[in-house]
Every structure is written in structure tokens, then in C-alpha cells.
Amino acid sequence: AVGLAAPQINEPINVIVFKNNYINEVLINPQILEIDASSSFTIKEGCLSVPGYLKNNTRPSNIVIEYNVVDSEQRTSKTFNDFAAFIVQHEMEHLSGKLFIDNLSDSKKDKILNDIINNRG
């Protein structure tokens, strides 16, 4: 895993933690300011909330985020590119209660959910 959003561990706060080029990033109350959709980044996306399932996914490769830093009420902004931008977008979906499988067709999503339920035995 390279990222985690607080709701994934039942913490009802808007915090994202992820590794960006071997540096831990902590984004508190992040908001996307800008998405540059002129270029994209594609990888096999997976999620700790849905272990064992991967899906090719494409997301914009350049985003600007505004957020609070640890121990400060001051907001700052930062540009993330490629893999880091992909991670931030994925984790921000968790902050709004969304999983990457929510972007799948209903039949694919239902199959994954049934697999998970049946394999918990």
C-alpha cells in the first residue's frame, strides 16, 4: 500500500497519508484546486478496502491540491504529478465514501462484492 485515507480505518476525519518518492505526505482537509486533464496516467489500481482486486484505471496526471499541514492552521497548495496525482485522487475518493470499484459497471462491481462476501466464510 502506498496510501491510506482516515475513513479506511474508521476515523471520521479528512486526512490522507501516502508515500511520495519515499517521503511521507500528510494532507489534512485536502481540496482539489485544479485538474489538468490534458494528460493522463494509467496503472493497475488496487485498494486495501478491496484486497486482491486490480483494475486498469486512468486518471489526470497533474493536479493542484490545497490542504492543511500538520500542526498548522495555515493552508498550502502543492502540485502532484503522475503516480502521486493518481494516489491523491484515489485517496480523496475515500474521503467522500467512494471506492475504486464504484467506477466499475454494476455487474463487475456486484461480482467483486459477491466474491468478497463468499470468501469470508
Side-chain angles (χ1 to χ4, degrees):
V2 292
L4 190 68
Q8 289 178 275
I9 55 171
N10 295 319
E11 290 294 332
I13 54 176
N14 285 336
V15 176
I16 293 169
V17 178
F18 68 101
K19 207 167 269 296
N20 182 13
N21 293 322
Y22 305 103
I23 297 169
N24 291 325
E25 298 266 8
V26 179
L27 309 181
I28 301 168
N29 296 321
Q31 290 183 299
I32 296 176
L33 295 180
E34 184 180 323
I35 296 176
D36 178 2
S38 66
S39 61
S40 60
F41 189 81
T42 302
I43 61 171
K44 282 191 183 266
E45 185 172 11
C47 184
L48 291 173
S49 297
V50 190
Y53 294 91
L54 298 173
K55 171 194 168 278
N56 279 331
N57 199 8
T58 301
R59 295 179 185 268
S61 61
N62 301 296
I63 62 172
V64 178
I65 303 294
E66 182 181 71
Y67 60 96
N68 290 89
V69 294
V70 176
D71 296 329
S72 174
E73 292 185 24
Q74 191 172 12
R75 304 270 297 161
T76 189
S77 64
K78 186 171 185 176
T79 300
F80 293 99
N81 302 298
D82 301 324
F83 188 58
F86 196 101
I87 294 167
V88 170
Q89 291 171 82
H90 173 104
E91 298 306 335
M92 286 191 70
E93 286 180 349
H94 285 301
L95 296 180
S96 62
K98 192 173 182 183
L99 297 173
F100 86 98
I101 63 170
D102 292 330
N103 297 322
L104 299 174
S105 68
D106 287 343
S107 61
K108 288 181 182 179
K109 182 178 173 181
D110 288 345
K111 182 188 179 318
I112 290 171
L113 292 175
N114 285 330
D115 285 350
I116 292 170
I117 290 167
N118 292 329
N119 288 326
R120 287 198 176 162

